[in-house]
Amino acid sequence: MNGSARRGLPLTTIRAVRILRALVLLLLCTAAACSGSGDASGTAALPAGQELLAKAAEAMKSVKTVGFTITTEGKPPVQVRSADGELTREGDAKGKIQIEILGALQELEFVLVGDNVHFKGPTGGYQKMTREQLAQVYDPSAILDPDRGVAKLLSSAANPKTEAEEKVGSADAYRIALSLSQEALAPLVPGIQQGSDGQVWVDKAAGRLLKASLPLGQGDASGTVVVTFADYDAPVTITAPTG
């Protein structure tokens, strides 16, 4: 957000924009890298990583809705510590986010619907900004957009290598190591300054992304952000709050 735009917004709106930006960053970055556990099988019989990523990219192009859960491990340099919610291909979303502000954890409810963004803390009612104001930082409809979002990110990954077969929940999945350039991440993650190496898990049957994580930071200020995707194309109704 440029200086003139920032001066035109109240402080509560500016803080909310930063919080929502952090959430979007997590959604997008962690959709490109992953960690997990399970019993690995021999790599000789595993499908090629490039083949699996191509399948995953195609599968993600047709996604209409998805549920997500975000957690953090260690001390990654991000404000968001956890989040969960639902997202539509149109960019509407709802959920809760736990964020660290001045060393204290605060929880925020958010609803993005139509042209408006609604948000509130533990007390008080909802406040509102426009989607246009939020779009000065980021347009969340990019996440599931087949030409700008996760599908394009997966197809642009470098050095993919299938490492193992593992379970993600009850689903059988392939774990793939990969590298993402800063150039590939920049259209989706505002302000990112470096690329990232990570891993992704894709569903063996459907090819969709099931889980992802992104190592962030260095030394004591480092950790991993983990995101899990579920309930693909489940019916989702997102409406503006009334109170």
Side-chain angles (χ1 to χ4, degrees):
M1 183 180 298
N2 58 39
S4 59
R6 186 178 295 112
R7 287 193 294 271
L9 297 176
L11 290 177
T12 54
T13 298
I14 294 172
R15 172 173 289 187
V17 167
R18 290 172 178 170
I19 291 172
L20 291 170
R21 173 179 177 174
L23 172 63
V24 171
L25 184 151
L26 285 174
L27 284 171
L28 291 168
C29 285
T30 57
C34 188
S35 66
S37 59
D39 296 327
S41 60
T43 58
L46 296 174
Q50 192 66 57
E51 175 187 335
L52 292 173
L53 288 186
K55 181 180 179 181
E58 285 300 312
M60 294 301 294
K61 287 181 180 179
S62 62
V63 172
K64 296 179 175 61
T65 67
V66 68
F68 64 89
T69 300
I70 296 169
T71 59
T72 55
E73 301 172 352
K75 296 180 179 180
V78 295
Q79 288 182 297
V80 175
R81 294 306 174 198
S82 67
D84 63 86
E86 299 169 308
L87 175 71
T88 73
R89 183 170 177 173
E90 292 74 26
D92 292 348
K94 64 180 179 181
K96 294 181 179 180
I97 178 173
Q98 192 176 66
I99 184 168
E100 183 176 340
I101 300 176
L102 300 176
L105 290 178
Q106 298 187 23
E107 188 167 88
L108 178 77
E109 293 184 35
F110 63 90
V111 181
L112 286 69
V113 59
D115 292 328
N116 296 305
V117 181
H118 307 264
F119 58 95
K120 74 172 184 175
T123 60
Y126 279 93
Q127 301 180 59
K128 186 168 69 173
M129 73 176 76
T130 67
R131 185 180 289 267
E132 182 179 359
Q133 289 170 329
L134 180 62
Q136 294 178 50
V137 178
Y138 188 75
D139 178 6
S141 65
I143 296 171
L144 292 180
D145 187 297
D147 298 319
R148 299 181 293 157
V150 173
K152 182 175 181 179
L153 194 65
L154 291 173
S155 65
S156 67
N159 307 316
K161 179 181 179 181
T162 310
E163 296 181 320
E165 293 183 31
E166 296 184 343
K167 288 279 189 180
V168 177
S170 61
D172 294 321
Y174 292 113
R175 188 185 78 216
I176 307 162
L178 75 175
S179 298
L180 295 162
S181 68
Q182 186 271 340
E183 291 78 13
L185 288 167
L188 298 175
V189 187
I192 193 165
Q193 299 298 316
Q194 63 183 67
S196 177
D197 294 331
Q199 297 168 307
V200 297
W201 271 253
V202 297
D203 189 289
K204 288 181 65 175
R208 290 170 170 169
L209 191 64
L210 293 176
K211 189 179 176 184
S213 84
L214 183 69
L216 297 171
Q218 295 180 345
D220 293 337
S222 64
T224 304
V225 177
V226 179
V227 62
T228 304
F229 295 98
D231 300 326
Y232 278 103
D233 294 336
V236 172
T237 301
I238 300 176
T239 58
T242 56

